[in-house]
Amino acid sequence: MIIIKNIYLIGGPMGVGKTTVSKELAKRLNDCVFLDGDWCWASIPFIVNDETRKIVIDNIIHLLSNYINSDTYKNIVFCWVMHKQSIIDDILNNLNLSNCFVHNISLITTKEELTNRLNIDIKNGIRDDNIIQRSFEYLECYNDLNT
């Protein structure tokens, strides 16, 4: 018996609510697993270079593949800052999606709302002061994605 999987890729800039929305979606779906791409990049110090990017993408692909190949899970919710089509394509092109339906979603908001959300995180010590400008730069990228 072939099991059709639903894969929900949920992207958006930092602070838009990807994790919150993804967790809520996962609660509402049957036989579901929730994955956050940030789990694959929880290094101290946080280092971004070609090597670490490759490691993180490879780890994400392996995690998603394992759940796609599982008979237990029918729904996979994955969230991460996927601000370039090439990131989404690198992930999807390395998965066996023959029995999968991919829901590619980007969460976006206004700059004002994003600023409000991020300022709360900054005040609570969750994020650094420079996050607002970086998140604005990422926000603009989501207009060009196939989501």
Side-chain angles (χ1 to χ4, degrees):
M1 180 170 107
I2 296 174
I3 299 172
I4 302 298
K5 308 279 180 152
N6 285 294
I7 302 171
Y8 299 85
L9 295 181
I10 301 177
M14 296 79 74
V16 76
K18 293 177 301 299
T19 300
T20 301
V21 168
S22 296
K23 285 180 178 179
E24 188 59 35
L25 177 61
K27 285 183 204 174
R28 294 169 185 243
L29 295 170
N30 294 322
D31 305 320
C32 185
V33 62
F34 164 67
L35 301 169
D36 190 324
D38 289 347
W39 299 341
C40 295
W41 214 332
S43 63
I44 301 171
F46 182 69
I47 300 169
V48 179
N49 60 37
D50 289 342
E51 179 188 29
T52 60
R53 279 187 198 98
K54 185 177 182 217
I55 291 169
V56 170
I57 294 291
D58 188 57
N59 286 339
I60 289 168
I61 291 165
H62 281 288
L63 283 169
L64 289 171
S65 290
N66 285 337
Y67 287 112
I68 289 169
N69 293 326
S70 165
D71 290 334
T72 303
Y73 300 104
K74 294 180 185 81
N75 293 290
I76 302 161
V77 177
F78 173 74
C79 69
W80 197 35
V81 175
M82 294 176 279
H83 63 292
K84 295 179 182 176
Q85 189 63 45
S86 61
I87 296 170
I88 297 166
D89 293 344
D90 282 348
I91 293 169
L92 293 177
N93 290 338
N94 285 285
L95 297 172
N96 179 355
L97 300 172
S98 59
N99 294 317
C100 299
F101 187 75
V102 177
H103 309 267
N104 204 354
I105 302 162
S106 289
L107 301 181
I108 56 171
T109 188
T110 64
K111 287 184 176 182
E112 180 180 63
E113 178 60 27
L114 194 55
T115 300
N116 292 337
R117 291 170 181 241
L118 291 170
N119 276 328
I120 292 169
D121 288 353
I122 292 167
K123 181 180 175 184
N124 291 328
I126 298 170
R127 299 185 192 269
D128 295 329
D129 293 351
N130 66 354
I131 192 67
I132 294 174
Q133 184 57 41
R134 285 191 304 131
S135 195
F136 282 177
E137 291 168 8
Y138 281 52
L139 180 63
E140 299 299 322
C141 297
Y142 286 89
N143 295 323
D144 300 324
L145 301 182
N146 296 324
T147 60

